[in-house]
Amino acid sequence: MGSIRKRLEPLINPLSNDNPVIVQILGICSALAVTAKLQPAVVMTISVLAVLALSNVIISLMRKTIPTSIRIIVQLVVVAALVVIVDQILKAWNYEVSKQLSVFIGLIITNCIIMGRLEAFALNNSPFESFLDGVGNALGYGIILVIVAFFRELFGSGTLWGYQVIPQALYDLGYQNNGMMILPPMALITVACIIWVHNRKAK
Amino acid sequence: MKINKENNVYTVIYAAVLVVLVGFILALVYQLLRPAQLENIANDTKKQILAAALIFPTGDETVSDLFEKHITDSYCINSKGDKLTGVNAMDVNMQTEIKKNADERELPVFVCDTEKGTKYVVPVAGAGLWGPIWGYIAMDSNGKDIYGAYFGHQGETPGLGAEIEKPAFSDQFRGKPIFGSDGTFESVMVVKKGQEPAGRSYVNAVSGGTITSQGVQKMLYESLSPYTEFFKSLDKR
């Protein structure tokens, strides 16, 4: 059992102990941008999952040949090419989804988690481990996105996944949506609260 | 053979091969997928035009069939309201048209046959916060009131400016007059919730999407005003 757990470490660690967002404080910028509603947050998670897992595997396969001095450029070329291909395929096969994703696709390239994992993990590990690491980190990122989006959508718009959950009766009593929750600063504060809780638990 | 990864010649060759290879793959993907993408884009445009006239595809009918059925005529006019010949309304790019002077523009009109009579759908285009925004406005047969509206955007902030594409925003436009009581073109204002400009038709802006909402207001004014003569001529028919 011990060995299986050890082999799955790249997948499990980033979920909590070594979470990219709340422990390494990476990918904060996109976490602010897409968490006003739950749906974009989930869509962003899936896109990052696909790109991170694939680029990790590709860079890992190439790792023994990449010249040291241009490794960052090579990583960028691979990530950018993947993102463009994903975008093109979506446009051809699922136009509706691609329309919703258009803004996120561009954001994926700028996500520092991707470059971070390529540089820190894929360059030194086998393709399978890199794949696990990619999936694990994307999920760790996604968990935080979903938690933040849950609170922001609930208190900011009174809805979850676009459906009204706060009953009209409460509004009649004088309850109001907190417009501040929709604005980016509240995402930062929500992330900070999660870090606080997480640190208390880790102690 | 052990590769010397520090070697300059190796580095340059590696970079060149990689870039050419990736370029080739991207070009291949583009060529292979282009026809399917163009078809999707054309279908999407048709869907948006129909959505403005409040016609939505229901499962079994394809968008092209619906378009054939409801859009009985399409043509381009100039700002005097005269029909232009030899211009296909579907091919006009509104984003480039709005950069021209009003009297030089080619203005597409789609005549749509609905259950509630003939509607005239016209495209609008402008700029939001991050990039282009566009839409289609369906006018009633009297040329005075908006029958329905559709808005789209390229990259407005999700949850904020991007909300203009939701029915919650576009449905507000139904029945709004675009001419003032004295018959001058006034367009529709997009104002913060709670404000009520006296004597003007208005809708509520998207909260948190102020720049995008202002973009919609400007877009409506600038794109619809060259149609003034055309809309007025509809009333006399």
Side-chain angles (χ1 to χ4, degrees), chain A residues 64-149:
Chain A
K64 295 210 170 93
T65 67
I66 299 175
T68 327
S69 51
I70 58 164
R71 63 183 195 286
I72 301 275
I73 299 172
V74 173
Q75 291 163 14
L76 255 181
V77 170
V78 169
V79 175
L82 270 177
V83 168
V84 174
I85 290 174
V86 168
D87 186 39
Q88 293 285 327
I89 290 177
L90 277 178
K91 265 190 193 147
W93 288 341
N94 200 333
Y95 196 74
E96 283 303 307
V97 172
S98 104
K99 268 177 71 181
Q100 286 181 359
L101 273 177
S102 61
V103 62
F104 305 114
I105 297 274
L107 278 173
I108 293 172
I109 307 181
T110 66
N111 194 322
C112 25
I113 296 175
I114 293 184
M115 293 290 283
R117 292 327 291 169
L118 293 179
E119 179 75 8
F121 199 92
L123 274 180
N124 305 313
N125 289 284
S126 72
F128 182 66
E129 284 171 327
S130 302
F131 175 75
L132 289 183
D133 180 76
V135 173
N137 274 285
L139 288 178
Y141 169 75
I143 291 171
I144 304 302
L145 244 58
V146 168
I147 296 175
V148 175

Side-chain angles (χ1 to χ4, degrees), chain A residues 65-66 88 91-92 102 182, chain B residues 5 10 14 37 40 154 160:
Chain A
T65 67
I66 299 175
Q88 293 285 327
K91 265 190 193 147
S102 61
I182 306 179
Chain B
K5 291 199 278 184
Y10 176 72
Y14 192 93
Q37 290 176 1
N40 281 335
Q154 191 182 65
L160 305 176

Side-chain angles (χ1 to χ4, degrees), chain A residues 96, chain B residues 39-51 55-71 90:
Chain A
E96 283 303 307
Chain B
E39 199 188 316
N40 281 335
I41 292 169
N43 267 337
D44 194 54
T45 310
K46 289 177 179 173
K47 201 169 149 191
Q48 294 177 13
I49 293 171
L50 290 172
I55 298 166
F56 303 97
T58 52
D60 14 314
E61 277 176 307
T62 67
V63 175
S64 337
D65 290 345
L66 262 185
F67 194 81
E68 293 292 317
K69 191 171 133 199
H70 288 285
I71 304 294
M90 276 299 268

